[in-house]
Amino acid sequence: MQTENCRLRSRGAALTPRFAFCILISAVTSSVHAQSFFNSRGLGEVSPAGEARIAGLAEPSALSTLNPGIFVGPNQTSFHVTALAAAALGTQGSNTRLLRDARPGAFGMATPLPLGTRLFGGINQKFGQDFDVWSESLADTAYRRHIIGRGGIYALRVGLAKSLFDKVCIGAEYNHLLGGSRENWRFETNTGDYTSTDTIEVDYSANTFKVGGSFQNRTFSLAAYYEPPLNLGVRRYKHVHGVIDDTTRFYNISLPQSYSLAAAISPTDRVGLDLGLTVYPWHDATITRSDTTLPLGYRNVWRGSIGVEYEIDSLHPVRVGYSRQTWYYDASHNVSGYIIFEPVTSPITENNIHLGTSVPIPKFGTLDLSGEVLLRHSEFLDEVAGRLMLTLSYSEAWTRRTRRWGY
Amino acid sequence: MKKLAIAGCRVAADRVPQALRFVLSALSFVALACNTLPVGYDQLHDRVTGTADTTLLPDSAASYARYVPLGGSSILYLGQDTSYMSRIVLRFSILDTMDLDSITSFQLVLHQPDTLATMSFVCHPCSSEWTESGVSWQMADSFNRWPTPGGDFLPDTLAAGTMLGDSAVFDFRYVGFDSALRANIRDCGIGLFPQDTGIVAIYAGTGTISTATAPRLRVTYTNKGKQTQRVVNDVADASLIDTVATHSQPYDLLVGSGVAFRTWLSFNTDMIPPEATIARADLKFKPRLKYHRADTIELGAYRLTESFTQKGANARYESLPSAYAGYLVPADGDTVVTIDIRSLVQSWVNYPETLWTNRPASDTTLPDSLRNHGLLITAWPEWSALFRFRIPRSGPDAPRLDIQYVLPPEDRFK
């Protein structure tokens, strides 16, 4: 009888798979979009892992499926698909402007193989380059520019993980990075004509490996992964509208290694504490063009996070987290406003609040939800971004959750 | 029930400010999303290379006149005034097998748009063949001149009368002529000569959608004892127009239709970087109107493909204009003509003169037609309603080219 009651309660609180899918699709196709006013520089912002459950815990990425060695226990096929919606409110001086964006966030799947191994793969965004800015709009200026950037760098991942002693996992994955950005430079004359003057398309491609591992038991987990230096091939195609000859250039961007660490502690059955640290020592990043190598001027930065998960009951976990990071490139500012001076740069710092929960979907998996408020600050430009992530997952990756919902 | 209703009202009243706050919040959200304030533009500032505004004056300018074929026009002009004289030539496809004995009347029917206009005329047979696409005051077709400028005609009078009202019918002598003259009328057509001062417009048969107003011959004949009418529309028509006086000085820059007046302007655009994108290129001038028969004047700007300084009026130009502009004849004569020649200037900028001056003599890969040979301002089309204006050569009303160009941005990665 008690079991029957539990089943009924579970049905009442849960979403049907069809309804969950509808929410996911509507989020993907909504008019809201993920842009940043800072994305026009560098390679763009480092994108989140693309898992709402991890986002709710302040993104300790070593605990996400970005870590090829995270698959310790489960022996069933799993997948997750994420939709991301974001809005960014930028403030510079007395001006405020909102950007919106929506796109698919990530897709990942894993399937067991014999001998305690596991084959996994997925797609996720590594860098986002979406932005939309206007130049001066004062009444006494004769013309304005409008620059729209769309694109990013994506990783196609496939890897193999090996579980050892049901508590340890090591894994390696091959990443094929590809993607591109398209910047459309538009020009509005003082007579109101609005013309596209230039289009800059940049294609990226690279191949790299990633290794990771984790140790997990009932009360304590430790995870880490390492990404070796990355050589990113870049092809830039500049189309100057109206001009007959377009130009193509090739670059090679060399990014140093990065690594991520995370620890999870469960002092009680209902409470979990997650700590994360990701380090990007990218000061020595360089760009090579025509045998000339120049520094990109990036920074050595880190991202730290702390997140707490609390189970209100066995079906309703809530997550809250805080993270802080400095971006690997600086924001720019033109001091004069009118005369072209050497721009002043300042670091971009980010303080984030993360919230999340999960809704079980009977006989399927879960719908994880997260909401994040990202407070980005540079000396002259501030940005408040909101990010909503929905992950539909049929995942056995996290043993603790597997037991909780009993699949 | 009453308590419930009161409770419901309270709930609704409580919700009004909340709903208002929500609406205001939503509106401010939308306003923030729709504005175009320069937030974040500094992040791209080191990539912006600049824009520039410049005004160019013509390096060279000239004007010339040409008799152009006017057969494509939907309007024919007949008359003479202080500026122009105009005749009309028409040709009909008359069946020579027609039984002339049965014809009871042979009439010429003409229609005009201005029902108040009057014009007496006389009609003579042409003595030379002509083609609609090539006939002009001087030329019978594209290759042959009239022996006499203005057309060659026989002295026989085919019809005479006065154009009046929206249409007029004139008795047309055809039946009484011998077969040689009738064959001449069929092959060479007829000409209408004005007898009064002033110019009237007559609907043409070509260049119009409707044939109801086309010049035609109406033949009434007896067929099997019954009166029958046959209408023969014209198969070719054109105005032959000449200028009587241009009321201008020899070096005036003139633009006009009928007798085509064309103005050549040349601008040196070599100071604009070849990689620039032309955002705006407005050719502006304030014309001095000399003559017009319509309130809207259409102009075209053509790109020359040959050197005007070398070939003069024979310099070739592109078959289609690079830009058009409509000029509404103002009451105060104070309107500036603005022609957007952005695409034309862009092509000049793309092919600067240095490409030709710096190349080896043996290099012929770059055709000479791509050079900046300047542009022609003409009536568009040149058979449009008669007009002529003068462009001042100097002063504030003279032609000037206002250009705004944008240099391409720097790369994301330098």
Side-chain angles (χ1 to χ4, degrees):
Chain A
M1 188 64 191
Q2 196 176 352
T3 309
E4 190 66 23
N5 282 342
C6 284
R7 192 175 294 159
L8 284 173
R9 205 176 73 183
S10 171
R11 279 176 185 162
L15 295 170
T16 64
R18 184 177 295 176
F19 182 62
F21 223 84
C22 286
I23 290 176
L24 199 70
I25 295 300
S26 63
V28 170
T29 56
S30 71
S31 62
V32 198
H33 264 277
Q35 306 180 62
S36 170
F37 293 100
F38 296 112
N39 271 356
S40 57
R41 300 175 68 78
L43 291 168
E45 68 172 311
V46 177
S47 301
E51 290 175 54
R53 202 184 76 81
I54 296 299
L57 292 169
E59 295 268 350
S61 62
L63 292 177
S64 73
T65 54
L66 290 185
N67 181 357
I70 198 67
F71 305 96
V72 173
N75 56 4
Q76 294 179 15
T77 298
S78 64
F79 75 85
H80 72 266
V81 58
T82 298
L84 174 71
L89 188 70
T91 304
Q92 184 171 5
S94 58
N95 296 324
T96 301
R97 187 158 172 257
L98 183 74
L99 300 179
R100 300 157 298 159
D101 201 358
R103 58 181 166 77
F107 171 75
M109 60 180 299
T111 187
L113 293 178
L115 303 174
T117 57
R118 192 165 180 81
L119 179 69
F120 59 89
I123 306 169
N124 68 291
Q125 190 184 53
K126 280 185 79 72
F127 297 97
Q129 296 182 359
D130 289 348
F131 65 91
D132 183 324
V133 295
W134 285 82
S135 66
E136 293 83 355
S137 61
L138 303 174
D140 58 348
T141 54
Y143 43 76
R144 292 192 299 167
R145 289 177 187 272
H146 183 198
I147 306 107
I148 302 166
R150 291 284 180 271
I153 302 174
Y154 298 85
L156 301 178
R157 303 180 291 115
V158 61
L160 200 63
K162 167 70 175 167
S163 182
L164 303 167
F165 317 117
D166 288 336
K167 292 189 185 301
V168 175
C169 179
I170 55 172
E173 82 177 18
Y174 164 78
N175 284 10
H176 178 61
L177 302 187
L178 78 168
S181 68
R182 183 187 174 92
E183 287 178 9
N184 192 353
W185 289 64
R186 299 177 183 177
F187 191 79
E188 189 183 70
T189 66
N190 52 355
T191 55
D193 292 335
Y194 188 76
T195 56
S196 280
T197 56
D198 307 278
T199 301
I200 300 176
E201 295 172 4
V202 184
D203 296 333
Y204 304 93
S205 80
N207 296 299
T208 185
F209 281 93
K210 187 159 64 174
V211 293
S214 63
F215 164 80
Q216 298 171 28
N217 72 8
R218 188 175 179 80
T219 58
F220 179 71
S221 298
L222 195 62
Y225 69 82
Y226 171 81
E227 287 190 82
L230 175 68
N231 282 315
L232 195 61
V234 182
R235 186 189 70 120
R236 188 278 275 140
Y237 176 78
K238 186 188 280 185
H239 174 57
V240 183
H241 294 244
V243 175
I244 287 143
D245 294 325
D246 300 320
T247 58
T248 304
R249 279 184 184 173
F250 295 92
Y251 306 97
N252 193 281
I253 291 177
S254 179
L255 277 183
Q257 75 281 0
S258 62
Y259 45 89
S260 185
L261 308 168
I265 305 161
S266 297
T268 70
D269 284 345
R270 302 182 71 173
V271 177
L273 175 68
D274 298 86
L275 301 168
L277 176 69
T278 304
V279 181
Y280 304 101
W282 286 354
H283 177 264
D284 295 330
T286 57
I287 181 166
T288 303
R289 183 188 159 223
S290 306
D291 299 330
T292 304
T293 301
L294 296 170
L296 279 166
Y298 294 165
R299 288 173 173 270
N300 292 333
V301 293
W302 55 268
R303 182 183 189 285
S305 66
I306 180 168
V308 177
E309 184 176 60
Y310 176 73
E311 292 177 9
I312 298 171
D313 57 49
S314 63
L315 293 175
H316 296 100
V318 291
R319 304 178 189 101
V320 61
Y322 165 79
S323 66
R324 177 184 169 80
Q325 68 169 325
T326 304
W327 284 34
Y328 64 93
Y329 58 84
D330 286 351
S332 169
H333 183 70
N334 177 48
V335 177
S336 72
Y338 291 95
I339 304 167
I340 298 175
F341 286 136
E342 187 66 25
V344 175
T345 60
S346 63
I348 306 165
T349 57
E350 187 174 304
N351 290 280
N352 309 322
I353 303 294
H354 308 256
L355 299 168
T357 187
S358 296
V359 180
I361 304 171
K363 298 180 181 176
F364 186 81
T366 57
L367 180 69
D368 300 318
L369 300 99
S370 72
E372 299 164 273
V373 178
L374 319 172
L375 307 170
R376 294 162 179 163
H377 170 77
S378 72
E379 190 174 349
F380 303 99
L381 172 63
D382 291 311
E383 184 176 280
V384 180
R387 199 154 60 194
L388 178 68
M389 213 180 281
L390 299 173
T391 300
L392 183 66
S393 64
Y394 176 73
S395 175
E396 304 295 331
W398 200 237
T399 53
R400 189 173 55 180
R401 195 180 59 184
T402 301
R403 285 200 304 274
R404 183 178 307 140
W405 290 309
Y407 306 122
Chain B
M1 282 298 287
K2 191 178 178 183
K3 280 182 182 175
L4 277 175
I6 291 169
C9 284
R10 273 185 194 153
V11 169
D14 288 344
R15 282 180 182 169
V16 167
Q18 196 175 348
L20 192 63
R21 277 200 298 272
F22 176 77
V23 168
L24 288 174
S25 302
L27 285 176
S28 60
F29 194 74
V30 169
L32 287 173
C34 293
N35 75 42
T36 56
L37 294 170
V39 177
Y41 184 61
D42 283 0
Q43 307 308 310
L44 290 160
H45 208 275
D46 52 349
R47 298 178 58 192
V48 176
T49 49
T51 61
D53 297 277
T54 185
T55 297
L56 302 177
L57 300 177
D59 281 359
S60 309
S63 185
Y64 66 93
R66 270 289 167 89
Y67 293 104
V68 291
L70 305 173
S73 175
S74 60
I75 291 292
L76 305 168
Y77 289 105
L78 180 65
Q80 177 172 340
D81 59 14
T82 55
S83 295
Y84 293 96
M85 69 163 65
S86 180
R87 301 168 180 172
I88 294 173
V89 286
L90 305 170
R91 191 165 66 241
F92 299 92
S93 178
I94 307 168
L95 294 173
D96 59 352
T97 56
M98 189 178 285
D99 179 8
L100 299 178
D101 292 339
S102 66
I103 293 175
T104 55
S105 72
F106 216 109
Q107 293 167 313
L108 173 67
V109 183
L110 301 172
H111 295 77
Q112 63 175 358
D114 182 0
T115 57
L116 300 177
T118 62
M119 173 60 63
S120 298
F121 69 91
V122 62
C123 176
H124 299 292
C126 281
S127 60
S128 304
E129 291 189 26
W130 51 272
T131 60
E132 190 180 60
S133 59
V135 68
S136 67
W137 185 266
Q138 284 196 321
M139 304 290 288
D141 55 39
S142 302
F143 306 103
N144 301 302
R145 289 175 172 271
W146 297 110
T148 308
D152 300 311
F153 301 91
L154 299 173
D156 306 271
T157 300
L158 301 177
T162 301
M163 194 67 210
L164 190 65
D166 61 346
S167 65
V169 179
F170 309 96
D171 286 333
F172 190 83
R173 288 180 63 203
Y174 179 77
V175 177
F177 291 127
D178 60 36
S179 60
L181 189 54
R182 289 204 301 269
N184 194 82
I185 292 171
R186 286 196 301 273
D187 296 338
C188 303
I190 60 171
L192 273 56
F193 290 75
Q195 300 293 299
D196 298 335
T197 301
I199 292 179
V200 296
I202 294 171
Y203 285 118
T206 54
T208 56
I209 303 169
S210 169
T211 57
T213 56
R216 66 188 62 173
L217 290 173
R218 193 163 66 197
V219 187
T220 308
Y221 60 100
T222 306
N223 185 18
K224 296 176 183 175
K226 191 176 166 186
Q227 286 273 320
T228 306
Q229 270 195 353
R230 175 179 288 184
V231 171
V232 182
N233 282 332
D234 71 342
V235 292
D237 52 43
S239 302
L240 309 182
I241 301 179
D242 191 17
T243 50
V244 176
T246 58
H247 310 288
S248 58
Q249 302 300 316
Y251 291 103
D252 278 354
L253 302 175
L254 298 174
V255 176
S257 64
V259 175
F261 288 91
R262 300 167 182 165
T263 288
W264 169 70
L265 300 173
S266 174
F267 296 92
N268 184 355
T269 54
D270 283 353
M271 78 289 294
I272 300 174
E275 67 273 20
T277 299
I278 306 300
R280 183 169 65 89
D282 290 338
L283 175 63
K284 294 182 176 179
F285 56 85
K286 194 186 289 183
R288 304 281 189 268
L289 209 59
K290 296 284 188 182
Y291 186 97
H292 70 102
R293 295 188 59 83
D295 291 334
T296 302
I297 291 172
E298 299 286 338
L299 301 173
Y302 290 79
R303 180 176 181 276
L304 264 78
T305 56
E306 290 183 333
S307 168
F308 187 87
T309 51
Q310 291 176 6
K311 298 203 170 184
N314 294 320
R316 292 173 185 271
Y317 57 92
E318 289 183 335
S319 57
L320 291 173
S322 300
Y324 316 95
Y327 173 63
L328 194 63
V329 176
D332 56 2
D334 199 33
T335 304
V336 173
V337 173
T338 302
I339 309 177
D340 177 2
I341 56 169
R342 190 168 27 182
S343 62
L344 193 54
V345 175
Q346 184 73 65
S347 70
W348 292 341
V349 169
N350 290 350
Y351 294 101
E353 192 59 25
T354 51
L355 291 177
W356 282 269
T357 53
N358 296 340
R359 70 173 177 177
S362 57
D363 184 4
T364 55
T365 53
L366 210 54
D368 200 53
S369 60
L370 294 174
R371 291 172 96 149
N372 177 2
H373 294 301
L375 63 92
L376 276 184
I377 303 172
T378 72
W380 187 78
E382 289 185 312
W383 61 71
S384 59
L386 285 173
F387 79 90
R388 188 171 65 243
F389 63 67
R390 178 175 72 85
I391 303 173
R393 275 187 176 267
S394 59
D397 300 339
R400 68 177 194 275
L401 183 55
D402 293 337
I403 297 176
Q404 192 168 47
Y405 62 87
V406 188
L407 294 173
E410 294 284 347
D411 289 355
R412 187 181 186 107
F413 305 106
K414 294 176 186 170

